[in-house]
Amino acid sequence: MASINRNGPLKGRNAVVTGASRGIGEAIAARLAMEGANVVCSARTAETGESKLPGTLHATVDRIKRAGGEATFIKADLSEAADRERLIEQAVAAYGPVDILINNAAVTFFIPVETFPEKRFKLMMEVQVWAPFHLSQLVLPSMRERKQGWIVNISSPAGLHPKQPYTRRGGGAVYGMCKAALERFTTGLALEVYDDNIAVNVVSPGLVDTPGVAVHGLINEATKDRVQPIEYIAEAVYRLASGDPKTVTGRIDYAEPLLKELALQPAELV
Ligand code: NAP
């Protein structure tokens, strides 16, 4: 049965999870708390009524606390530099220096290149690429000082180049660009901080049933057999957020093959 182990391998580690008001971010927050981490959950939606989509930071934190874990929430709009800075400042004030940063939040528009509005392009790049970059800049000094840290960036197979025959609908070029940039950032940073014992990795989910996916109607007759349980992603992220930074770094991992490689079954979530 799912439970919290306050004395688990992440005991005393402080994690920040972005996009934790719903979907994959909520699941990751729960999974890290299950192993004893103190989890700062962040997004824009704190309370019911603040978003059209289901899920709130309040509910994510309650879910963790009810099960006996430690979590708090900090509202932040990741498209705003001041909010990103405040998020890390308040996370440090809440629990102490950040050991684990999970860059999961995303805003996505599927629109063909020809008509893609500049404003939306810039918003996607800001939230999906620049925010993970900037948040990493904000946590790296204390990780370097303490010679430990784990950054996990959440990507997507959309970051891979489309191959012929072209069976998919168009509109995903900008999303793919964001995720390709995030992946290249990950491996570049992994190299830069290797000597400081900081791991930087990617987990790339398959299709997961989340509020965001429902908005885009991505689950249908043709795709329903590919849907992956959210627990797979949470498990893969936990493993990359707790591995040895000397050996488990610079990886671009798909959840299912990673769990197979490690011979792991995903834990049920609290
Ligand atoms: P989701 O249900 O749409 O949730 C997105 C999260 O990002 C929400 O918590 C949202 O919170 C937050 N967010 C969006 N804009 C934000 C902003 N400006 N500032 C702060 N937070 C913001 O997404 P998901 O399906 O769980 O996806 C999570 C991650 O996995 C994304 O990086 C996505 O690209 C990736 N992924 C998902 C799938 C899938 O099938 N689900 C597949 C491949 C990759 P608020 O609205 O409350 O701010």
Side-chain angles (χ1 to χ4, degrees):
M1 211 192 73
S3 63
I4 299 267
N5 177 9
R6 289 293 293 143
N7 292 316
L10 300 186
K11 181 185 165 72
R13 297 212 179 132
N14 306 322
V16 172
V17 181
T18 70
S21 57
R22 65 183 73 94
I24 290 173
E26 177 184 354
I28 294 169
R31 187 67 190 92
L32 298 181
M34 283 167 63
E35 302 303 329
N38 306 314
V39 184
V40 171
C41 302
S42 189
R44 293 165 302 175
T45 311
E47 307 294 341
T48 309
E50 291 176 10
S51 170
K52 282 181 277 180
L53 297 179
T56 65
L57 290 171
H58 205 135
T60 304
V61 168
D62 274 0
R63 170 181 176 176
I64 292 170
K65 287 199 153 168
R66 261 201 318 273
E70 181 54 44
T72 189
F73 72 76
I74 298 171
K75 260 180 97 157
D77 182 343
L78 292 183
S79 67
E80 299 288 338
D83 274 28
R84 297 190 292 261
E85 281 159 15
R86 184 180 46 76
L87 165 59
I88 299 305
E89 269 167 33
Q90 291 184 352
V92 172
Y95 293 130
V98 178
D99 301 289
I100 298 169
L101 170 66
I102 313 294
N103 287 308
N104 163 78
V107 54
T108 303
F109 305 102
F110 292 102
I111 305 170
V113 170
E114 212 176 332
T115 50
F116 210 101
E118 182 181 357
K119 203 170 154 198
R120 289 188 165 183
F121 180 96
K122 287 181 173 162
L123 178 63
M124 279 181 67
M125 287 287 169
E126 184 84 15
V127 173
Q128 295 201 31
V129 183
W130 178 242
F133 194 100
H134 187 202
L135 291 174
S136 300
Q137 289 181 319
L138 293 168
V139 298
L140 279 171
S142 75
M143 287 181 173
R144 275 189 192 278
E145 219 172 87
R146 290 172 303 120
K147 293 272 182 274
Q148 75 164 21
W150 292 264
I151 296 173
V152 181
N153 297 320
I154 307 304
S155 186
S156 163
L160 300 172
H161 295 281
K163 294 227 162 49
Q164 291 206 44
Y166 296 143
T167 50
R168 283 196 185 177
R169 62 186 177 140
V174 178
Y175 184 46
M177 289 166 70
C178 288
K179 294 306 192 184
L182 189 65
E183 293 190 5
R184 184 58 183 82
F185 160 56
T186 301
T187 54
L189 180 61
L191 178 155
E192 281 187 22
V193 297
Y194 183 77
D195 289 343
D196 291 300
N197 210 39
I198 301 166
V200 193
N201 292 290
V202 155
V203 170
S204 192
L207 187 59
V208 181
D209 190 0
T210 64
V213 155
V215 164
H216 295 296
L218 298 179
I219 299 177
N220 50 44
E221 270 310 304
T223 61
K224 67 178 173 28
D225 294 337
R226 295 200 270 116
V227 174
Q228 217 173 41
I230 206 160
E231 288 81 1
Y232 279 61
I233 320 305
E235 192 67 37
V237 172
Y238 159 53
R239 298 294 163 176
L240 294 185
S242 56
D244 174 6
K246 282 285 170 270
T247 51
V248 185
T249 194
R251 293 181 62 129
I252 308 293
D253 273 314
Y254 294 86
E256 213 167 338
L258 175 68
L259 299 187
K260 273 206 184 114
E261 178 190 325
L262 301 175
L264 287 168
Q265 283 301 316
E268 200 185 307
L269 299 173
V270 293

